[in-house]
Amino acid sequence: MAKYRIAWLPGDGIGVEVNEAARIVLDKVGLDAEYIHGDIGWEFWCKEGDAFPQRTIELLKNVDAAVFGAITSKPVKAAEAELAPEFRGKGLIYRSPIVRMRQLFDLYICLRPCKAYPGNPLNFKEGLDLVVFRENTEDLYAGVEFNPVPRELAATLSQISKPFAPFSKLAPEDYAISCKINTRKGSERIIRAAFDFAKKFGRKKVTIVHKANVVRATDGMFLEIGREVAKGYPQIQLDEANIDALTMWLLKNPFNYDVLVAPNLYGDIISDLCAQMVGGLGFGCSGNIGEKLAVFEPTHGSAPKYAGQYKVNPIATILAAKMMLDWLGEAEKGARIEKATAAVIAEGKVRTYDMGGSSKTLDMARAIAEKL
Ligand code: IPM
Ligand code: MG
């Protein structure tokens, strides 16, 4: 029996291609693993009314880790139109499977390292090495949303909230509510994870990302917890930044930042920004990490317009596979993958279209595998 059981969830679009590439590298590095395919993606929404079928949820309950590619998603009405006739009109609502997976398995850490590998022509600045910790289960991703707004809810809100009163005169379909729900536990554990990481890897600074001057209840609490947690890590510098100003400062003085920790949506945004600074989404890798399970994926989406062409850069997924090895306790193999990837980037002979080359997805994977 293999040492590890890994759920293999390519999804759709280019997810299939980048996962195939990552497998070439994992096979070559010699991980003793059994890979079990899981159905997930747009196809299953259309055919079965569920993009993340129950059988795949069951599979995830019995594996050590998973590698996920990408999934196409469409707005609610467009999604409904593509359902098989027997599922239409039943009130099924498309929700992103990866968001559901993060919540269902309590994968509360979204870890997104953004490192500028030397010689990458897409680097914003050489030497950048940022790490984003994004809260992964709550905040504006809680999924508590109303459009139209039920009258009972409007009535309650107008009674208990003064600023809400003007909206309560509107017709239910003339406004919408998405709840930003943050818990003490959720905030504390992601902030603690960021500080623990900083301590373990000798990082100097943790920046708490917020908008506490305006979003006072939730972000105010996040910031307050951040200050509290920081007291337990006197060796690490505590930094605080408003999300809006941060996007500006990150571009202006990127070397002022080290580890960043943010509530879910701000974390989503800054992780794309940071990924772009180290080469774009072709380099953004991501770990969704809980206590029992972790799911590794590229930060990018399914890019339907490139699907089937085997032209996209698989490095994000290969680095996600490297993160999985670290998480499994196979750090030596993980380090070999990173070294091989860095060597191929530095050499500059094999480059996908985003890097200005014409190499194909699997050529890149093979070039990395050869250096292992
Ligand atoms: C990400 C993605 C997802 C998110 C989408 C695909 C739902 O943007 O992983 O950053 O918003 O979390
Ligand atoms: Mg995102």
Side-chain angles (χ1 to χ4, degrees):
M1 227 176 69
K3 189 168 176 198
Y4 302 107
R5 278 169 60 82
I6 311 289
W8 199 253
L9 314 172
D12 55 47
I14 58 159
V16 176
E17 298 158 35
V18 292
N19 264 41
E20 197 179 323
R23 242 329 244 295
I24 291 175
V25 175
L26 281 170
D27 286 347
K28 181 77 191 300
V29 86
L31 184 72
D32 182 10
E34 180 194 354
Y35 298 93
I36 307 137
H37 177 91
D39 289 340
I40 195 163
W42 189 249
E43 179 191 344
F44 302 98
W45 162 258
C46 300
K47 285 199 307 214
E48 303 178 17
D50 192 353
F52 185 21
Q54 189 60 35
R55 59 186 177 280
T56 308
I57 295 176
E58 295 305 320
L59 166 67
L60 285 171
K61 289 181 186 164
N62 290 299
V63 292
D64 298 296
V67 177
F68 170 71
I71 290 186
T72 304
S73 59
K74 296 189 182 172
V76 175
K77 292 212 171 84
E80 161 103 36
E82 288 192 38
L83 272 175
E86 64 266 37
F87 296 110
R88 276 186 225 148
K90 293 202 168 153
L92 294 177
I93 291 183
Y94 185 86
R95 275 196 76 207
S96 161
I98 186 68
V99 173
R100 274 168 65 202
M101 197 187 300
R102 291 165 181 164
Q103 290 172 338
L104 206 55
F105 290 93
D106 203 20
L107 309 175
Y108 64 94
I109 300 170
C110 185
L111 172 58
R112 294 186 158 170
C114 297
K115 193 190 277 188
Y117 288 97
N120 181 352
L122 300 170
N123 282 340
F124 175 62
K125 296 238 162 82
E126 288 289 336
L128 273 177
D129 186 5
L130 299 162
V131 180
V132 176
F133 275 78
R134 162 188 179 189
E135 198 290 318
N136 219 16
T137 59
E138 45 186 51
D139 196 57
L140 268 164
Y141 281 69
V144 182
E145 304 195 273
F146 306 93
N147 179 20
V149 178
R151 289 194 191 276
E152 319 82 273
L153 176 63
T156 308
L157 288 175
S158 58
Q159 264 173 23
I160 60 178
S161 162
K162 270 220 178 83
F164 181 76
F167 301 105
S168 62
K169 296 198 175 55
L170 298 173
E173 57 282 5
D174 283 346
Y175 65 119
I177 296 180
S178 298
C179 297
K180 174 168 159 90
I181 303 178
N182 301 69
T183 64
R184 250 180 202 285
K185 179 182 165 196
S187 306
E188 183 176 339
R189 64 186 180 173
I190 188 68
I191 294 168
R192 203 168 279 291
F195 276 94
D196 281 341
F197 176 94
K199 187 172 167 187
K200 182 167 171 198
F201 294 102
R203 300 271 178 161
K204 306 225 153 18
K205 191 192 231 183
V206 174
T207 301
I208 316 263
V209 184
H210 66 87
K211 185 77 189 181
N213 53 341
V214 177
V215 191
R216 287 167 302 177
T218 46
D219 287 359
M221 182 181 76
F222 193 82
L223 180 56
E224 178 200 306
I225 293 172
R227 290 176 182 164
E228 214 35 58
V229 169
K231 287 184 190 153
Y233 301 81
Q235 67 278 51
I236 294 158
Q237 187 191 340
L238 168 69
D239 179 39
E240 306 172 0
N242 273 297
I243 176 69
D244 54 342
L246 176 71
T247 59
M248 212 171 59
W249 292 334
L250 258 176
L251 289 182
K252 195 168 176 219
N253 296 317
F255 293 103
N256 281 356
Y257 298 92
D258 190 347
V259 176
L260 301 134
V261 60
N264 208 337
L265 185 66
Y266 306 149
D268 180 41
I269 296 167
I270 58 169
S271 53
D272 275 18
L273 174 58
C274 293
Q276 186 57 42
M277 293 201 288
V278 298
L281 290 174
F283 296 84
C285 52
S286 181
N288 302 282
I289 302 170
E291 299 297 338
K292 293 202 197 100
L293 177 71
V295 179
F296 298 86
E297 54 161 339
T299 299
H300 63 68
S302 68
K305 71 174 177 186
Y306 294 130
Q309 297 179 36
Y310 282 89
K311 68 180 283 192
V312 298
N313 192 343
I315 288 182
T317 316
I318 291 168
L319 291 174
K322 175 251 180 230
M323 291 175 75
M324 175 175 80
L325 296 182
D326 292 347
W327 188 77
L328 288 170
E330 300 282 348
E332 181 269 334
K333 289 191 170 63
R336 276 167 54 209
I337 292 183
E338 185 176 28
K339 205 169 150 220
T341 307
V344 170
I345 294 171
E347 231 173 55
K349 284 197 219 136
V350 179
R351 285 183 170 168
T352 41
Y353 84 96
D354 54 321
M355 301 172 82
S358 57
S359 304
K360 297 290 217 169
T361 306
L362 301 185
D363 294 334
M364 176 64 91
R366 286 186 206 108
I368 293 171
E370 257 165 43
K371 296 223 179 277
L372 283 167

PDB file of all heavy atoms in Angstrom, residues 96 98-99 102 112 134 141 268 297 299, ligand 1:
ATOM      1  N   SER A  96     -19.486  28.201  -5.773  1.00  0.00           N
ATOM      2  CA  SER A  96     -18.155  27.736  -6.119  1.00  0.00           C
ATOM      3  C   SER A  96     -17.755  26.521  -5.268  1.00  0.00           C
ATOM      4  O   SER A  96     -17.753  26.590  -4.041  1.00  0.00           O
ATOM      5  CB  SER A  96     -17.174  28.875  -5.900  1.00  0.00           C
ATOM      6  OG  SER A  96     -15.881  28.345  -5.794  1.00  0.00           O
ATOM      7  N   ILE A  98     -14.871  25.213  -4.676  1.00  0.00           N
ATOM      8  CA  ILE A  98     -13.683  25.379  -3.829  1.00  0.00           C
ATOM      9  C   ILE A  98     -14.051  26.141  -2.552  1.00  0.00           C
ATOM     10  O   ILE A  98     -13.555  25.829  -1.466  1.00  0.00           O
ATOM     11  CB  ILE A  98     -12.489  26.024  -4.596  1.00  0.00           C
ATOM     12  CG1 ILE A  98     -11.219  26.056  -3.743  1.00  0.00           C
ATOM     13  CG2 ILE A  98     -12.796  27.413  -5.093  1.00  0.00           C
ATOM     14  CD1 ILE A  98     -10.595  24.722  -3.445  1.00  0.00           C
ATOM     15  N   VAL A  99     -14.970  27.080  -2.681  1.00  0.00           N
ATOM     16  CA  VAL A  99     -15.409  27.814  -1.483  1.00  0.00           C
ATOM     17  C   VAL A  99     -16.148  26.850  -0.544  1.00  0.00           C
ATOM     18  O   VAL A  99     -15.924  26.838   0.668  1.00  0.00           O
ATOM     19  CB  VAL A  99     -16.293  29.025  -1.878  1.00  0.00           C
ATOM     20  CG1 VAL A  99     -16.889  29.682  -0.647  1.00  0.00           C
ATOM     21  CG2 VAL A  99     -15.477  30.038  -2.681  1.00  0.00           C
ATOM     22  N   ARG A 102     -13.622  24.520   1.178  1.00  0.00           N
ATOM     23  CA  ARG A 102     -12.898  25.184   2.267  1.00  0.00           C
ATOM     24  C   ARG A 102     -13.762  25.213   3.531  1.00  0.00           C
ATOM     25  O   ARG A 102     -13.261  25.018   4.643  1.00  0.00           O
ATOM     26  CB  ARG A 102     -12.534  26.616   1.852  1.00  0.00           C
ATOM     27  CG  ARG A 102     -11.475  26.684   0.764  1.00  0.00           C
ATOM     28  CD  ARG A 102     -11.422  28.078   0.145  1.00  0.00           C
ATOM     29  NE  ARG A 102     -10.424  28.171  -0.916  1.00  0.00           N
ATOM     30  CZ  ARG A 102     -10.387  29.152  -1.812  1.00  0.00           C
ATOM     31  NH1 ARG A 102     -11.289  30.118  -1.797  1.00  0.00           N
ATOM     32  NH2 ARG A 102      -9.445  29.168  -2.738  1.00  0.00           N
ATOM     33  N   ARG A 112      -0.547  31.518   0.771  1.00  0.00           N
ATOM     34  CA  ARG A 112      -0.154  31.865  -0.600  1.00  0.00           C
ATOM     35  C   ARG A 112       1.223  32.531  -0.635  1.00  0.00           C
ATOM     36  O   ARG A 112       1.340  33.746  -0.527  1.00  0.00           O
ATOM     37  CB  ARG A 112      -1.225  32.767  -1.220  1.00  0.00           C
ATOM     38  CG  ARG A 112      -2.515  31.995  -1.394  1.00  0.00           C
ATOM     39  CD  ARG A 112      -3.600  32.740  -2.118  1.00  0.00           C
ATOM     40  NE  ARG A 112      -4.552  31.777  -2.672  1.00  0.00           N
ATOM     41  CZ  ARG A 112      -5.710  32.071  -3.205  1.00  0.00           C
ATOM     42  NH1 ARG A 112      -6.097  33.322  -3.277  1.00  0.00           N
ATOM     43  NH2 ARG A 112      -6.504  31.134  -3.690  1.00  0.00           N
ATOM     44  N   ARG A 134      -4.498  34.082   4.219  1.00  0.00           N
ATOM     45  CA  ARG A 134      -5.859  34.551   3.992  1.00  0.00           C
ATOM     46  C   ARG A 134      -6.820  33.683   4.799  1.00  0.00           C
ATOM     47  O   ARG A 134      -6.777  32.456   4.678  1.00  0.00           O
ATOM     48  CB  ARG A 134      -6.140  34.429   2.496  1.00  0.00           C
ATOM     49  CG  ARG A 134      -7.589  34.467   2.130  1.00  0.00           C
ATOM     50  CD  ARG A 134      -7.765  34.138   0.648  1.00  0.00           C
ATOM     51  NE  ARG A 134      -9.167  34.162   0.297  1.00  0.00           N
ATOM     52  CZ  ARG A 134      -9.657  33.762  -0.868  1.00  0.00           C
ATOM     53  NH1 ARG A 134      -8.849  33.323  -1.805  1.00  0.00           N
ATOM     54  NH2 ARG A 134     -10.946  33.810  -1.105  1.00  0.00           N
ATOM     55  N   TYR A 141     -17.366  35.683   2.395  1.00  0.00           N
ATOM     56  CA  TYR A 141     -17.563  34.380   1.768  1.00  0.00           C
ATOM     57  C   TYR A 141     -18.514  33.495   2.576  1.00  0.00           C
ATOM     58  O   TYR A 141     -18.709  32.329   2.231  1.00  0.00           O
ATOM     59  CB  TYR A 141     -16.223  33.655   1.613  1.00  0.00           C
ATOM     60  CG  TYR A 141     -15.405  34.136   0.429  1.00  0.00           C
ATOM     61  CD1 TYR A 141     -14.840  35.412   0.434  1.00  0.00           C
ATOM     62  CD2 TYR A 141     -15.189  33.324  -0.677  1.00  0.00           C
ATOM     63  CE1 TYR A 141     -14.077  35.851  -0.639  1.00  0.00           C
ATOM     64  CE2 TYR A 141     -14.438  33.755  -1.744  1.00  0.00           C
ATOM     65  CZ  TYR A 141     -13.881  35.032  -1.732  1.00  0.00           C
ATOM     66  OH  TYR A 141     -13.130  35.459  -2.800  1.00  0.00           O
ATOM     67  N   ASP A 268      -8.104  37.518  -0.657  1.00  0.00           N
ATOM     68  CA  ASP A 268      -8.308  37.117  -2.053  1.00  0.00           C
ATOM     69  C   ASP A 268      -7.680  38.176  -2.963  1.00  0.00           C
ATOM     70  O   ASP A 268      -6.941  37.869  -3.895  1.00  0.00           O
ATOM     71  CB  ASP A 268      -9.817  36.996  -2.304  1.00  0.00           C
ATOM     72  CG  ASP A 268     -10.144  36.582  -3.715  1.00  0.00           C
ATOM     73  OD1 ASP A 268      -9.449  35.704  -4.245  1.00  0.00           O
ATOM     74  OD2 ASP A 268     -11.098  37.147  -4.292  1.00  0.00           O
ATOM     75  N   GLU A 297      -3.688  24.031  -4.644  1.00  0.00           N
ATOM     76  CA  GLU A 297      -4.208  24.441  -5.951  1.00  0.00           C
ATOM     77  C   GLU A 297      -3.434  25.646  -6.480  1.00  0.00           C
ATOM     78  O   GLU A 297      -2.836  26.391  -5.721  1.00  0.00           O
ATOM     79  CB  GLU A 297      -5.695  24.822  -5.827  1.00  0.00           C
ATOM     80  CG  GLU A 297      -5.938  25.874  -4.746  1.00  0.00           C
ATOM     81  CD  GLU A 297      -7.266  26.623  -4.857  1.00  0.00           C
ATOM     82  OE1 GLU A 297      -7.860  26.653  -5.940  1.00  0.00           O
ATOM     83  OE2 GLU A 297      -7.685  27.203  -3.844  1.00  0.00           O
ATOM     84  N   THR A 299      -3.531  29.449  -7.805  1.00  0.00           N
ATOM     85  CA  THR A 299      -4.450  30.543  -7.469  1.00  0.00           C
ATOM     86  C   THR A 299      -5.334  30.908  -8.666  1.00  0.00           C
ATOM     87  O   THR A 299      -6.420  31.447  -8.499  1.00  0.00           O
ATOM     88  CB  THR A 299      -3.611  31.764  -6.995  1.00  0.00           C
ATOM     89  OG1 THR A 299      -2.878  31.348  -5.839  1.00  0.00           O
ATOM     90  CG2 THR A 299      -4.450  32.963  -6.636  1.00  0.00           C
TER      91      THR A 299
HETATM   92  C1  IPM B   1      -9.215  32.134  -5.250  1.00  0.00           C
HETATM   93  C2  IPM B   1     -10.321  32.291  -6.230  1.00  0.00           C
HETATM   94  C3  IPM B   1     -11.623  31.805  -5.613  1.00  0.00           C
HETATM   95  C4  IPM B   1     -11.917  32.687  -4.426  1.00  0.00           C
HETATM   96  C5  IPM B   1     -12.801  31.727  -6.594  1.00  0.00           C
HETATM   97  C6  IPM B   1     -12.484  30.814  -7.757  1.00  0.00           C
HETATM   98  C7  IPM B   1     -14.073  31.336  -5.936  1.00  0.00           C
HETATM   99  O1  IPM B   1     -10.401  33.607  -6.669  1.00  0.00           O
HETATM  100  O2  IPM B   1      -8.984  30.998  -4.807  1.00  0.00           O
HETATM  101  O3  IPM B   1      -8.576  33.123  -4.910  1.00  0.00           O
HETATM  102  O4  IPM B   1     -12.550  33.734  -4.563  1.00  0.00           O
HETATM  103  O5  IPM B   1     -11.507  32.334  -3.341  1.00  0.00           O
END
